[in-house]
Amino acid sequence: AIVPARVVEAQALARRTVTLRHAQIGSVLGVQVEASAARAILERLGFLRRATHPDMDVWDAPSFRPDISREVDLIEEVGRVRGFDAIPEELPSIRASRDAGPRQAAARRAREAAVATGLSEAITYAFVSPADLVAAGAPAATVKLRNPLGEEGSVMRTSLLPGLLHAAARARRRGERDARLFTVGSVFVAAGGAPPEERLALAALLVGGRSAWMARPEPVDVWDAKGLARSLVLRLLRREAAIRLALEAERPAALHPRGASLIHVDGKRIGSMGPLHPDLCDAFEIGAGVIVDLDLESMEAIGSSPLKFVPLPRFPASARDLAVVVADGVAAGDVERAVRDAAGDLAEEVELFDRFVGGNVPPGHASLALHVVYRARDRTLTDLEVDARHAEVVSAVEKRFGATLRS
């Protein structure tokens, strides 16, 4: 068979043309290189200068350098031949910036408030184990990682509690029996089949004994949690929080049935507090402890009250103590508010300082002792004025709660 003839001719390889700006060399390498020095280096490497301009050159890459296609490739060749050790070591300039947005500002304020109450921050991860969420009584995870490093970090957390519990357990294993920890971060929760929502939260954990001076330390209890919760809310919102016992249907699974409470501000629920459930303490081997959990998103929606400054008092105060016996189900916070409302503008301070059961207190009842400070801004109060206003306070508490004065 006759094969048709073919004519094979060599064709010149197309050269890749790359533009090199002189100012860009110093910008990338961090050190200025003269244009003449850069040209000499590239020409020794076989690059052909096609055009020259005041601020840039146009180069043809040699055929044996298929890796050269961009401006940064030419700059790398200049830096390599000149020597990377010729580039000076300098710290990068860092400019302080403001918070990136409302979430960062809210997180910063929460951290400042927690530190001001004597807590230490624990750095926790947003990736947790599903088993930890189950152990902590948290909602099941709805966001799962596609390529987790392991089972310990395979889902996004729905509660800050597992990270805090692990931090406290780690501290106990190293001999630190008392822990005052907090963490601020995002939780990823979904309700009613809706897509997961990222919410900013704060959780604080108290484990071990209450600090005491010249006295035997006592373990922390629900009163420590209540004081911490009120302090955090006052620092963040500058208003009082209403703390009420949680009903069984509302009680977070992580809290003990006795002492579990919900935190409300202006009638809106912003968190929970109370002693940890014994099963949870055993699972994480931390002993007894209390927790305060706040939803910072809800608190931001409420908003903080503006700061108000008042002059130092010019006139003396008069103090009275009040001890009443009420039914065991009456909340001490409700009694405090009733006393403050009845005392009116003369009440500078109302504080519950004792709760007693047993003894001569009837079963199913509790004795509440309150300290009331009366002061007027424009005059010195007489004993008759204070006694009359205090009698109105006693009458209001007796009528509202069916209370009796304790003798």
Side-chain angles (χ1 to χ4, degrees), residues 369-389:
L370 299 101
H371 182 70
V372 187
V373 178
Y374 297 93
R375 191 197 304 266
R377 296 182 179 180
D378 57 349
R379 67 189 188 281
T380 299
L381 294 175
T382 65
D383 288 341
L384 290 178
E385 288 180 292
V386 175
D387 291 341
R389 186 61 60 90

Side-chain angles (χ1 to χ4, degrees), residues 56-382:
M56 65 181 180
D57 293 331
V58 180
W59 295 89
D60 285 340
S63 59
F64 57 84
R65 293 299 305 270
D67 56 317
I68 303 297
S69 61
R70 301 173 300 168
E71 181 182 44
V72 70
D73 297 331
L74 295 179
I75 297 175
E76 182 181 5
E77 293 299 304
V78 174
R80 179 177 63 84
V81 174
R82 189 173 182 272
F84 291 123
D85 55 346
I87 300 176
E89 296 179 359
E90 294 182 5
L91 291 175
S93 60
I94 300 176
R95 298 178 59 187
S97 60
R98 298 181 178 179
D99 295 315
R103 284 179 62 87
Q104 287 74 14
R108 174 180 53 81
R109 290 194 297 268
R111 290 187 175 96
E112 292 174 350
V115 171
T117 58
L119 304 179
S120 299
E121 184 173 9
I123 305 301
T124 58
Y125 294 105
F127 306 148
V128 297
S129 165
D132 286 344
L133 293 177
V134 173
T142 56
V143 181
K144 300 180 180 180
L145 274 66
R146 291 183 177 179
N147 55 343
L149 297 178
E151 182 67 16
E152 293 301 317
S154 59
V155 297
M156 303 298 286
R157 64 190 175 191
T158 58
S159 169
L160 299 178
L161 192 52
L164 273 184
L165 293 173
H166 277 300
R170 193 178 303 112
R172 288 178 67 88
R173 289 195 297 269
R174 286 158 174 77
E176 187 62 45
R177 310 297 294 179
D178 301 335
R180 306 288 186 272
L181 302 176
F182 80 94
T183 188
V184 175
S186 297
V187 295
F188 303 83
V189 295
E197 180 183 3
E198 180 180 355
R199 299 187 66 84
L200 189 64
L202 178 149
L205 174 66
L206 307 181
V207 175
R210 182 186 305 118
S211 59
W213 183 70
M214 295 188 68
R216 184 184 298 275
E218 298 180 352
V220 294
D221 55 24
V222 66
W223 302 111
D224 296 277
K226 179 180 179 181
L228 177 60
R230 294 184 63 180
S231 178
L232 290 173
V233 173
L234 279 173
R235 291 179 182 276
L236 290 172
L237 299 183
R238 292 188 284 275
R239 64 184 72 185
E240 285 285 343
I243 299 177
R244 304 178 184 277
L245 293 177
L247 300 176
E248 184 64 27
E250 299 177 326
R251 178 180 65 84
L255 299 180
H256 196 288
R258 298 189 62 182
S261 304
L262 303 179
I263 307 172
H264 293 81
V265 172
D266 294 346
K268 298 180 181 179
R269 177 176 171 178
I270 63 169
S272 59
M273 50 139 286
L276 292 173
H277 197 283
D279 293 343
L280 184 60
C281 297
D282 293 341
F284 287 88
E285 300 179 350
I286 63 168
V290 296
I291 188 77
V292 175
D293 194 358
L294 297 176
D295 184 350
L296 297 180
E297 302 274 355
S298 299
M299 297 178 70
E300 284 293 306
I302 294 174
S304 61
S305 301
L307 283 174
K308 295 182 179 179
F309 296 91
V310 296
L312 295 175
R314 297 174 53 196
F315 302 96
S318 296
R320 298 289 188 274
D321 289 340
L322 171 67
V324 293
V325 178
V326 297
D328 201 21
V330 175
D334 293 340
V335 178
E336 284 186 13
R337 281 185 289 276
V339 170
R340 189 178 296 276
D341 292 341
D345 58 346
L346 297 185
E348 182 179 77
E349 180 182 348
V350 178
E351 180 182 7
L352 174 74
F353 67 89
D354 183 59
R355 182 181 185 274
F356 177 76
V357 294
N360 60 352
V361 178
H365 290 71
S367 172
L368 303 179
L370 299 101
H371 182 70
V372 187
V373 178
Y374 297 93
R375 191 197 304 266
R377 296 182 179 180
D378 57 349
R379 67 189 188 281
T380 299
L381 294 175
T382 65

